[in-house]
């Protein structure tokens, strides 16, 4: 029982990443990786060191991973509101419309 309480507490604290949070994480990842690639290339070119270029890019990759992979609370600013199961039963499910034969449009 205690492990269930701990699990729900951590899910509540960390939250679930919403759709806008996923978009933000994707944008942050692309921007950070591109910025570190440019900085790493420029530094490696200026110093003439391939090793320095790889180390800077690897550090940027680690930092980008730490920023974008965990479910940080700022990735859940727009949580989805789901219906209660009891509330969902009260509303009928949408029915797919049956298309009748369409008449050709007159010009």
């Amino acid at each position: 029982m205690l492990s269930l309480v701990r699990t729900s507490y951590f899910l509540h604290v960390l939250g679930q990443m919403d759709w806008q949070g996923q978009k933000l994480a994707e944008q942050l990842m692309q921007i950070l990786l591109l910025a570190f690639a440019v900085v790493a290339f420029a530094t490696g070119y200026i110093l003439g060191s391939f090793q320095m270029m790889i180390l800077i890019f690897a550090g940027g990759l680690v930092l980008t991973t730490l920023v974008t992979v965990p479910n940080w609370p700022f990735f859940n600013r727009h949580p989805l509101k789901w219906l209660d199961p009891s509330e969902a039963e009260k509303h009928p499910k949408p029915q797919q419309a049956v298309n009748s034969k369409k008449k050709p449009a007159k010009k």
Side-chain angles (χ1 to χ4, degrees), residues 27-43:
Q27 289 172 342
L28 279 173
M29 180 201 65
Q30 290 178 358
I31 290 168
L32 287 172
L33 286 178
L34 181 64
F36 277 108
V38 169
V39 169
F41 179 78
T43 305

Side-chain angles (χ1 to χ4, degrees), residues 14-86:
L14 292 178
Q16 300 282 330
M17 193 180 295
D18 58 27
W19 296 107
Q20 285 86 2
Q22 290 179 12
K23 181 179 178 182
L24 177 62
E26 175 77 18
Q27 289 172 342
L28 279 173
M29 180 201 65
Q30 290 178 358
I31 290 168
L32 287 172
L33 286 178
L34 181 64
F36 277 108
V38 169
V39 169
F41 179 78
T43 305
Y45 185 78
I46 291 168
L47 296 178
S49 173
F50 184 75
Q51 181 182 7
M52 184 60 70
M53 180 185 75
I54 294 297
L55 287 174
I56 291 173
F57 186 72
L61 185 64
V62 169
L63 181 68
T64 300
T65 302
L66 291 174
V67 169
T68 59
V69 170
N71 286 329
W72 298 110
F74 64 89
F75 287 136
N76 193 25
R77 292 183 186 164
H78 310 284
L80 295 174
K81 294 185 178 20
W82 296 89
L83 284 177
D84 264 342
S86 61

